[in-house]
C-alpha cells in the first residue's frame, strides 16, 4: 500500500481547493490547558429566531466533557451552546434552568485525522417542530438523536442577543468548557436558515465535500472568521471579521508567536500550495500524533506528547510507504524518544522492537531495545527525522546537523535501512519521566530547512490515487424486495460480482459473477455446488442488476444488501502450464475473477494466471461442481504455504503439506487436488492491494473496548474481519460491516459470511448489537472486547475497500 509524496498529486489537490479556486488559508488551534477562546458581545440584538452557523473543525482531545465550539448566554442557568460531550456525541442546547431546546446526537465523532464540516440551523418560526433546530455534518442532516427537545414556535434564543458570545469555550460565568482541536472558515449568518450548499459543494473530480465561497448576505450580527491575518493576536488581526460588518472577535490566550506555541497553522480543509522545504507553507490536512493508537497524553492539536508514568508511544496519523518525508521534534528532556515504527507496532517506545527505531536522548539510537548508534540530546533540542520510504533509509539529526555525517538529500550516511514498501509512521515516545515532545510535520515553519526532495507530511503531498472515486469500482446497494421482478440500478459501473444477502431474514447468501454468467449462483455460507436459478439474478446491467421473484433475494417486504465489484470490461484466456483459465481482471482496482477446469490428472501444486499485474493478498476459491468447502488465502497467515480458512465454518485450518506455492504478479500456485477432482470446474476471486482503495492485513487483539487502531490509508466502505488464530465456536465469525447499513459511528450493524442469520446475529443466533468499530478517515478502530473481534493476543485478518482515499476523506 503506498502513501507517497509526489508532485502528481498537485492537479487533484488543486481541484480539491474549492469552488472557483476557493482556498482556506489558515486554521486556529485551541488547547484547553491554555484556556484559549475567542469572545465578542454584540452591540445590539439581531434575529434571535433564525440564524445559521457553519465551520470546519478537526478534533483533538476525545472523551472530554463539554468541548464548546460556540456559545452564548449570561452564564449560570442562561446559556446556549454547540459542543461535543464526554461520549463524543454532538449537542446543541439552550438552557434556562431546563432545556428550552436540545439536540443530542446518537452518533459519535471520534475521527481526529481529518476535517469535519458542521452546519447548525436555528429556525424557530418553522411550522414543523423537528425542523426548528437542524444539525448537518459533512453535508448530511443528522436525523437520529438520543435526546431531543424542540423549541416552541418563534422562541427567541440566546444567540444573536446583546450578550456574551464565545468560540472555543462556554459563555462567561459558566465552568470552563474549552474546545480542543482546530477551527477554520467560520460563518455566522444572522436572519437566514440555510443549508450546507451555501458553504460547500462536492468536487466532481474527487467526490469530496469541499468548501466554497459564501456569496450571500450576513445580516446585522453575521461574521466570517478566516484567521488569515496572524500578524498579531488581536481582534483586528487574528479575530478579524471579513463579512464587512466589522464584528471582530477578541482572541484570549491564543498565540501567533513563532515556534511550538503558535496557534495559527496551515492545517486546513483545502489542499494547495508548493512545498519548498520550509514548512508552514503548503495548505492541507496535516499529520498529527494519533490518540487512537498508542498511549499517553496528547495536547495542542495532538502535536504535544507528554508522559509521566510508563514507556509508551503515539504514532502519526499518516503513514509513509513511498516518497521522502521530513519532520521535527522539540524535546523537554532526554527521556523523549522520537522515532519510526511500522504498522501494527505493539512495542512500548520507538526502538523497543526489531522493526522500530528511536532516539533515546540519554544514550543512543535504539533498535530492538539495544543502543546501536551513540548520540545524546537535551532539553529544547530540535530533533530531525528524514525518511526515504522508497529505499527504507532513515536519518536522525540534531539542531541542523545530521548524525553519522548523514546527507539525506544525497542518500548517504543513514542511521538505518528498514524494509521499504511497507507502512511506517513517525512516532513520539518516552522511556524516562516526565517528558514532553512537540511534533512539527510542517503545519508551521520548520526550525531547519528540510533536505532536498523531502516533504512535509500533509495530504497535499500525497499522490493522486489510482482509484479517485472508489464507488466507480466497488459499491454497496440496499433494497427492499417486491416478490416479483425488479432492476437495482444507480451503481457507477456495470458490476461483475454481485453478492446478495437478506438483512431481515435468516436466508442464504447468494454470489453471482459475469464469467459464470447471470443465474449461476454459489452460496458463501454453504458448501453446495453451483446451481442455475434465473429467478434470483437474471441479468447484469450497465449500472446494476435484474432480480427475479425468488424470496431469498427479492422476498416482498424483506430488506437486502448487495455488495458489488467491477472486474473490467472483457474476459481473456490465460494459459499457464497445464491450466488454461478464463480471466476477467480490473488491474487498476486490484480485482479479478478466474475460472478454470482442474487438469487430468489433477497432480499437485500448479499455476493459474490471475491477470492483476500484482500479487494477490486475498483469494477466495470454490469448486463449482462439488458440494465442497470454500478455500481462502490471506497474506497475513502465520504459515503462508499451509494455512487456509473456509467461509462455511469458523475454524482455522493448517495442512500437513503445502497448499499454496508461489503467488506473484502473474500467477497463483495452488494444490489442484485439494480444490477439485480431474475435469471439475473452479472459480477464484483474487484481490491485490491498491493504495487508497483496498487493504488486506491483520491486527492483534487487546481485549479492551479501547481496541486496536487499524490503518488502511482510506475511509473504509466495506470491511470483513475474521480471527485467523482461534475459532471453532459461535462468535468467531466472518464479520462484515459496510457504511450503507451503518451510516454513522459506532458502526455496529453486521452480517456474517459463514451463516444465513439476519443482521446483528452470530452463527448461533445470539445478538451482536453494539459490537462494532469506528470507521475513520484513515482506517478503523475496534470498540468492542468481544472474542470474535478483539480477544487479547489473538490475530485477526481483514479485507477492506474504500469509500474515499484518505486525502479526499472527511472525518466521520
Amino acid at each position: 500500500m503506498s502513501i507517497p509524496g509526489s508532485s502528481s498529486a498537485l492537479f487533484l489537490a488543486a481541484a480539491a481547493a474549492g469552488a472557483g479556486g476557493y482556498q482556506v488559508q489558515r486554521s486556529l488551534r485551541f488547547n484547553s490547558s491554555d484556556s484559549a477562546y475567542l469572545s465578542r458581545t454584540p452591540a445590539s440584538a439581531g434575529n434571535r429566531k433564525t440564524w445559521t452557523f457553519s465551520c470546519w473543525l478537526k478534533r483533538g482531545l476525545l472523551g472530554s466533557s463539554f468541548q464548546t465550539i460556540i456559545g452564548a448566554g449570561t452564564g449560570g442557568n442562561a446559556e446556549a451552546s454547540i459542543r461535543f460531550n464526554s461520549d463524543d456525541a454532538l449537542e446543541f442546547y439552550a438552557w434556562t434552568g431546563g432545556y428550552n431546546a436540545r439536540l443530542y446526537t446518537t452518533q459519535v465523532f471520534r475521527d481526529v485525522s481529518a476535517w469535519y464540516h458542521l452546519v447548525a440551523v436555528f429556525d424557530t418560526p418553522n411550522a414543523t417542530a423537528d425542523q426548528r433546530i437542524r444539525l448537518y455534518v459533512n453535508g448530511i442532516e443528522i436525523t437520529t438523536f438520543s435526546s431531543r427537545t424542540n423549541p416552541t414556535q418563534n422562541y427567541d434564543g440566546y444567540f444573536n442577543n446583546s450578550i456574551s458570545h464565545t468560540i472555543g469555550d462556554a459563555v462567561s460565568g459558566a465552568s470552563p468548557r474549552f474546545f480542543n482541536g482546530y477551527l477554520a472558515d467560520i460563518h455566522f449568518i444572522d436572519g437566514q436558515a440555510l443549508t450546507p450548499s451555501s458553504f460547500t459543494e462536492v468536487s466532481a473530480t474527487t467526490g469530496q465535500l469541499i468548501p466554497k465561497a459564501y456569496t450571500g448576505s450576513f445580516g446585522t450580527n453575521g461574521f466570517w472568521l478566516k484567521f488569515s491575518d496572524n500578524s498579531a493576536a488581536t481582534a483586528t488581526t487574528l479575530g478579524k471579521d471579513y463579512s464587512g460588518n466589522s464584528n471582530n472577535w477578541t482572541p484570549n490566550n491564543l498565540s501567533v508567536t513563532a515556534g511550538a506555541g503558535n496557534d495559527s497553522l496551515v492545517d486546513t480543509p483545502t489542499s494547495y500550495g508548493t512545498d519548498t522545504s520550509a514548512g508552514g507553507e503548503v495548505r492541507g490536512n496535516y499529520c498529527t500524533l494519533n490518540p487512537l493508537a498508542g498511549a499517553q497524553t496528547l495536547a495542542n492539536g495532538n502535536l504535544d506528547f507528554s508522559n509521566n508514568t510508563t514507556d509508551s508511544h503515539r504514532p502519526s496519523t499518516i503513514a509513509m510507504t513511498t516518497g521522502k518525508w521530513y519532520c521535527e521534534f522539540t524535546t523537554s528532556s532526554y527521556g523523549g524518544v522520537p522515532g519510526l515504527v511500522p504498522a501494527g507496532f505493539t512495542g512500548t517506545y520507538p526502538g523497543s522492537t526489531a522493526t522500530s527505531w528511536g532516539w533515546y536522548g540519554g544514550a543512543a539510537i535504539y533498535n530492538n531495545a539495544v543502543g546501536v548508534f551513540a548520540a545524546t540530546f537535551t532539553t529544547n533540542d530540535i530533533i530531525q527525522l528524514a525518511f526515504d520510504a522508497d529505499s527504507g533509509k532513515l536519518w536522525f539529526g540534531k539542531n541542523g546537523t545530521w548524525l553519522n555525517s548523514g546527507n539525506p538529500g544525497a542518500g548517504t550516511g543513514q542511521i538505518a535501512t528498514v524494509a521499504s514498501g511497507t507502512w511506517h509512521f513517525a512516532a513520539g515516545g518516552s522511556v524516562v519521566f516526565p517528558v514532553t515532545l512537540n511534533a512539527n510535520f510542517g503545519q508551521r515553519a520548520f526550525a531547519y530547512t528540510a533536505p532536498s526532495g523531502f516533504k512535509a507530511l500533509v495530504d497535499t503531498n500525497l499522490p493522486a490515487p489510482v482509484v479517485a472515486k472508489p464507488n466507480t469500482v466497488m459499491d454497496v446497494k440496499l433494497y427492499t424486495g417486491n416478490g416479483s421482478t425488479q432492476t437495482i440500478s444507480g451503481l457507477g459501473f456495470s458490476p461483475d460480482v454481485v453478492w446478495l444477502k437478506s438483512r431481515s431474514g435468516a436466508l442464504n447468501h447468494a454470489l453471482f459473477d459475469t464469467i459464470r454468467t447471470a443465474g449461476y449462483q454459489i452460496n458463501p455460507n454453504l458448501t453446495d455446488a453451483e446451481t442455475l436459478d434465473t429467478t434470483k439474478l437474471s441479468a447484469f446491467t450497465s449500472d446494476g442488476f435484474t432480480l427475479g421473484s425468488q424470496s431469498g433475494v427479492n422476498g416482498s417486504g424483506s430488506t437486502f444488501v448487495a455488495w458489488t465489484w467491477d472486474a473490467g470490461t472483457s474476459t481473456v484466456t490465460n494459459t499457464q502450464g497445464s491450466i488454461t483459465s478464463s480471466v476477467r481482471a480490473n488491474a487498476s482496482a486490484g480485482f479479478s475473477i478466474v475460472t478454470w477446469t482442474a487438469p487430468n490428472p489433477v497432480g499437485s501444486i500448479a499455476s493459474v494466471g490471475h491477470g492483476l499485474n500484482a500479487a494477490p493478498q486475498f483469494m477466495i476459491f470454490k469448486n463449482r461442481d462439488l458440494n465442497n468447502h470454500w478455500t481462502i488465502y490471506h497474506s497475513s497467515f502465520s504459515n503462508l504455504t499451509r494455512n487456509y480458512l473456509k467461509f462455511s465454518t469458523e475454524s482455522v485450518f493448517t495442512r500437513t503439506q503445502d497448499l499454496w506455492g508461489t503467488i506473484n504478479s502473474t500467477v497463483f500456485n495452488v494444490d489442484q487436488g485439494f480444490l477439485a477432482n480431474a475435469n471439475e470446474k473452479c472459480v477464484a476471486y483474487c484481490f491485490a492491494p491498491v493504495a487508497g482503495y483496498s487493504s488486506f492485513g491483520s491486527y492483534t487483539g487487546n481485549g479492551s473496548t479501547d481496541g486496536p487502531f487499524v490503518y488502511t490509508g482510506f475511509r473504509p466502505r466495506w470491511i470483513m474481519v475474521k480471527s485467523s488464530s482461534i475459532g471453532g465456536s459461535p462468535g468467531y465469525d466472518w464479520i462484515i460491516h459496510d457504511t450503507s447499513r451503518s451510516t454513522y459511528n459506532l458502526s455496529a450493524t453486521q452480517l456474517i459470511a459463514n451463516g444465513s442469520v439476519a443482521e446483528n446475529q452470530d452463527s448461533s443466533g445470539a445478538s451482536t448489537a453494539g459490537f462494532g468499530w469506528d470507521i475513520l478517515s484513515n482506517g478503523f478502530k475496534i470498540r468492542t472486547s468481544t472474542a470474535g473481534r478483539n480477544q487479547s493476543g489473538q490475530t485477526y485478518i481483514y479485507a477492506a475497500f474504500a469509500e474515499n482515499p484518505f486525502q479526499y476523506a472527511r472525518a466521520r
Side-chain angles (χ1 to χ4, degrees):
M1 205 83 177
S2 299
I3 306 292
S6 169
S7 60
S8 66
L10 293 182
F11 174 77
L12 284 180
Y22 182 71
Q23 298 170 339
V24 178
Q25 299 176 44
R26 287 187 174 271
S27 63
L28 192 57
R29 180 181 65 182
F30 293 79
N31 189 48
S32 59
S33 62
D34 296 335
S35 302
Y37 66 102
L38 299 167
S39 60
R40 176 178 179 265
T41 300
S44 61
N47 190 328
R48 296 170 58 192
K49 295 179 175 64
T50 305
W51 50 261
T52 303
F53 172 78
S54 167
C55 76
W56 288 89
L57 66 92
K58 184 175 175 180
R59 297 206 66 190
L61 180 65
L62 301 178
S64 175
S65 295
F66 306 144
Q67 290 192 50
T68 303
I69 300 166
I70 186 169
T74 58
N77 285 326
E79 62 177 342
S81 180
I82 303 169
R83 69 189 184 185
F84 291 108
N85 286 323
S86 58
D87 59 358
D88 297 309
L90 182 64
E91 179 185 24
F92 172 93
Y93 75 93
W95 173 274
T96 308
Y99 288 110
N100 307 112
R102 191 188 197 202
L103 295 180
Y104 196 116
T105 65
T106 303
Q107 67 197 88
V108 293
F109 302 88
R110 296 190 286 224
D111 195 334
V112 295
S113 300
W115 286 86
Y116 293 95
H117 183 248
L118 169 67
V119 169
V121 178
F122 198 68
D123 184 23
T124 64
N126 200 305
T128 303
D130 280 358
Q131 288 293 294
R132 292 174 192 157
I133 323 171
R134 301 190 293 276
L135 293 174
Y136 301 82
V137 173
N138 297 337
I140 299 172
E141 183 176 356
I142 299 174
T143 58
T144 304
F145 300 95
S146 60
S147 179
R148 177 176 208 140
T149 302
N150 293 319
T152 58
Q153 192 169 21
N154 293 311
Y155 167 74
D156 280 318
Y158 293 101
F159 286 104
N160 251 346
N161 201 358
S162 54
I163 56 178
S164 176
H165 287 60
T166 51
I167 293 174
D169 187 20
V171 295
S172 176
S175 59
R177 298 168 183 176
F178 294 110
F179 178 69
N180 277 274
Y182 305 82
L183 296 175
D185 201 42
I186 298 176
H187 292 77
F188 186 88
I189 313 302
D190 180 356
Q192 298 181 67
L194 303 177
T195 65
S197 63
S198 293
F199 312 98
T200 63
E201 67 178 3
V202 175
S203 167
T205 305
T206 67
Q208 178 194 49
L209 188 75
I210 55 176
K212 75 174 185 181
Y214 174 69
T215 58
S217 59
F218 283 85
T220 302
N221 283 328
F223 57 86
W224 176 23
L225 301 183
K226 295 169 58 176
F227 308 127
S228 56
D229 185 350
N230 64 346
S231 59
T234 66
T236 57
T237 54
L238 193 64
K240 181 180 178 178
D241 168 27
Y242 288 84
S243 72
N245 286 341
S246 297
N247 291 328
N248 301 327
W249 288 69
T250 300
N252 298 271
N253 306 313
L254 289 156
S255 174
V256 294
T257 303
N262 190 346
D263 296 310
S264 174
L265 301 174
V266 295
D267 193 335
T268 78
T270 55
S271 302
Y272 67 96
T274 302
D275 196 328
T276 69
S277 304
E281 51 190 353
V282 176
R283 269 63 175 178
N285 179 27
Y286 270 85
C287 181
T288 66
L289 298 175
N290 191 350
L292 300 179
Q296 300 308 320
T297 303
L298 295 177
N300 268 324
N302 294 333
L303 294 175
D304 284 2
F305 170 102
S306 61
N307 185 15
N308 293 294
T309 55
T310 186
D311 298 349
S312 61
H313 79 288
R314 292 282 191 186
S316 59
T317 56
I318 300 178
M320 303 170 284
T321 300
T322 64
K324 299 178 180 181
W325 306 100
Y326 175 80
C327 60
E328 296 178 344
F329 291 86
T330 304
T331 67
S332 67
S333 75
Y334 62 81
V337 184
L340 188 78
V341 300
F345 178 73
T346 56
T348 47
Y349 60 90
S352 63
T353 65
T355 56
S356 66
W357 296 77
W359 189 354
Y360 165 43
I365 308 294
Y366 270 71
N367 171 247
N368 208 22
V370 176
V372 295
F373 188 93
T376 62
F377 60 75
T378 189
T379 303
N380 295 323
D381 280 340
I382 305 293
I383 305 306
Q384 301 161 268
L385 187 152
F387 180 55
D388 180 348
D390 295 321
S391 65
K393 293 179 179 180
L394 172 67
W395 292 264
F396 284 102
K398 180 177 75 173
N399 300 333
T401 300
W402 294 99
L403 303 185
N404 197 34
S405 300
N407 186 338
T412 60
Q414 69 271 16
I415 291 295
T417 300
V418 303
S420 60
T422 61
W423 284 326
H424 283 88
F425 301 82
S430 60
V431 294
V432 177
F433 325 111
V435 64
T436 299
L437 282 175
N438 171 268
N440 180 15
F441 298 101
Q443 47 267 91
R444 58 183 173 85
F446 289 128
Y448 300 94
T449 302
S452 176
F454 286 72
K455 304 291 186 180
L457 203 49
V458 58
D459 67 347
T460 316
N461 287 335
L462 303 180
V466 174
V467 182
K469 291 183 177 180
N471 66 356
T472 62
V473 292
M474 187 273 165
D475 210 351
V476 180
K477 294 290 288 186
L478 306 183
Y479 65 94
T480 300
N482 65 7
S484 178
T485 61
Q486 65 170 319
T487 296
I488 308 301
S489 60
L491 295 175
F493 56 96
S494 178
D496 292 295
V497 167
V498 176
W499 181 347
L500 304 176
K501 176 67 181 81
S502 170
R503 303 169 59 197
S504 54
L507 299 170
N508 292 324
H509 295 250
L511 194 155
F512 306 85
D513 68 63
T514 52
I515 288 189
R516 295 183 298 115
T517 70
Y520 285 92
Q521 74 161 23
I522 320 177
N523 305 108
N525 60 299
L526 301 175
T527 60
D528 294 1
E530 175 184 85
T531 58
L532 174 62
D533 186 349
T534 56
T535 66
K536 290 189 174 180
L537 189 147
S538 59
F540 296 93
T541 67
S542 62
D543 66 344
F545 50 93
T546 299
L547 296 170
S549 60
Q550 210 276 343
S551 60
V553 299
N554 196 21
S556 179
S558 297
T559 57
F560 296 88
V561 61
W563 302 309
T564 64
W565 286 264
D566 175 25
T569 58
S570 61
T571 301
V572 300
T573 299
N574 187 309
T575 299
Q576 301 288 334
S578 61
I579 295 179
T580 297
S581 58
S582 295
V583 180
R584 195 174 181 97
N586 185 342
S588 63
F591 173 56
S592 67
I593 308 165
V594 184
T595 61
W596 74 99
T597 300
N600 188 3
V602 172
S604 57
I605 292 178
S607 294
V608 182
H610 53 66
L612 292 181
N613 302 322
Q617 292 189 1
F618 181 51
M619 295 185 290
I620 304 167
F621 297 83
K622 181 68 176 76
N623 183 314
R624 299 163 60 188
D625 292 331
L626 279 187
N627 293 340
N628 200 359
H629 59 75
W630 293 79
T631 303
I632 299 172
Y633 168 87
H634 197 285
S635 59
S636 295
F637 284 153
S638 58
N639 188 328
L640 279 176
T641 63
R642 296 184 179 183
N643 284 163
Y644 68 99
L645 286 164
K646 304 175 183 179
F647 270 148
S648 52
T649 182
E650 303 149 352
S651 299
V652 184
F653 298 90
T654 302
R655 292 188 82 204
T656 57
Q657 69 266 23
D658 288 349
L659 171 59
W660 313 107
T662 299
I663 298 171
N664 59 30
S665 61
T666 303
V667 301
F668 57 79
N669 282 266
V670 61
D671 187 338
Q672 297 293 315
F674 183 78
L675 296 180
N677 299 310
N679 300 318
E680 291 175 345
K681 299 188 297 295
C682 299
V683 63
Y685 303 101
C686 304
F687 299 90
V690 175
Y693 165 68
S694 60
S695 176
F696 312 98
S698 65
Y699 64 89
T700 302
N702 64 11
S704 168
T705 55
D706 182 15
F709 165 77
V710 182
Y711 186 87
T712 61
F714 53 79
R715 188 169 93 168
R717 176 77 161 128
W718 187 95
I719 306 170
M720 180 162 62
V721 165
K722 173 71 178 79
S723 170
S724 63
S725 59
I726 191 172
S729 61
Y732 295 96
D733 297 303
W734 288 90
I735 299 163
I736 302 173
H737 285 220
D738 64 69
T739 60
S740 286
R741 294 178 302 117
S742 287
T743 58
Y744 56 80
N745 289 331
L746 180 80
S747 177
T749 304
Q750 77 163 42
L751 283 165
I752 62 171
N754 55 290
S756 62
V757 294
E759 274 181 343
N760 293 330
Q761 293 181 329
D762 68 18
S763 53
S764 70
S767 172
T768 61
F771 299 166
W773 45 67
D774 286 341
I775 306 292
L776 306 166
S777 56
N778 56 354
F780 59 101
K781 168 83 171 178
I782 308 299
R783 294 288 185 181
T784 178
S785 60
T786 56
R789 302 155 186 82
N790 190 24
Q791 185 168 328
S792 182
Q794 299 302 322
T795 301
Y796 298 81
I797 60 171
Y798 71 86
F801 299 91
E803 185 164 349
N804 299 102
F806 171 69
Q807 55 267 57
Y808 306 146
R810 295 304 176 197
R812 176 176 135 135

